[in-house]
Amino acid sequence: MRIGKDLVAASATPLVLGILADGESYGYAILQRIGELSGGQLDFSDGMLYPLLHRLERLGHIESNWAQSPTGRARKLYRLTREGRSALVEQRRQWSVVSDALRNVWQNGPSPALGEA
């Protein structure tokens, strides 16, 4: 199954904030974690991630610094700020409402048979 671009884009901010809530990380590791969390079904590219990271940093939700990896390669590490934690709490509230609404409509409405789309 391929997840639509609009849904991937909509989930990007809460996913990245949620991943960084577990601790600082770098771009490639964030992409890997998104792949793990979605069972590989979210097609999230570095072309989407880095503009998002820059935007979140500009908003003050994350901060970064350069560090050296164990192999000696430079990595930009991102971490959540206090404002980012507040943004994550708000994102969770909003997504919970959306999730509940979808669950209710799908549980109470007619269910199309698979393959009828």
Side-chain angles (χ1 to χ4, degrees):
M1 173 174 51
R2 184 172 169 88
I3 307 296
K5 283 184 175 184
D6 290 344
L7 193 52
V8 172
S11 64
T13 295
L15 273 171
V16 170
L17 292 177
I19 288 168
L20 293 176
D22 288 339
E24 70 180 8
S25 191
Y26 55 97
Y28 180 74
I30 293 169
L31 288 173
Q32 293 295 109
R33 185 71 180 129
I34 290 170
E36 291 168 11
L37 291 169
S38 70
Q41 295 193 45
L42 281 177
D43 187 17
F44 210 94
S45 69
D46 55 351
M48 293 175 60
L49 178 63
Y50 289 103
L52 173 63
L53 289 169
H54 294 155
R55 185 173 63 81
L56 292 173
E57 195 166 20
R58 204 173 43 251
L59 292 170
H61 295 170
I62 63 173
E63 57 190 12
S64 66
N65 68 290
W66 286 97
Q68 196 169 27
S69 74
T71 62
R73 192 171 173 185
R75 280 186 181 152
K76 194 169 189 179
L77 297 174
Y78 299 91
R79 75 190 64 71
L80 212 53
T81 63
R82 181 179 299 176
E83 292 81 9
R85 289 195 186 281
S86 295
L88 177 58
V89 168
E90 181 58 27
Q91 288 275 327
R92 288 182 68 161
R93 273 193 212 118
Q94 292 179 19
W95 278 94
S96 180
V97 170
V98 171
S99 177
D100 289 348
L102 289 171
R103 188 177 314 105
N104 286 334
V105 77
W106 289 332
Q107 285 177 348
N108 299 325
S111 179
L114 292 177
E116 287 185 7

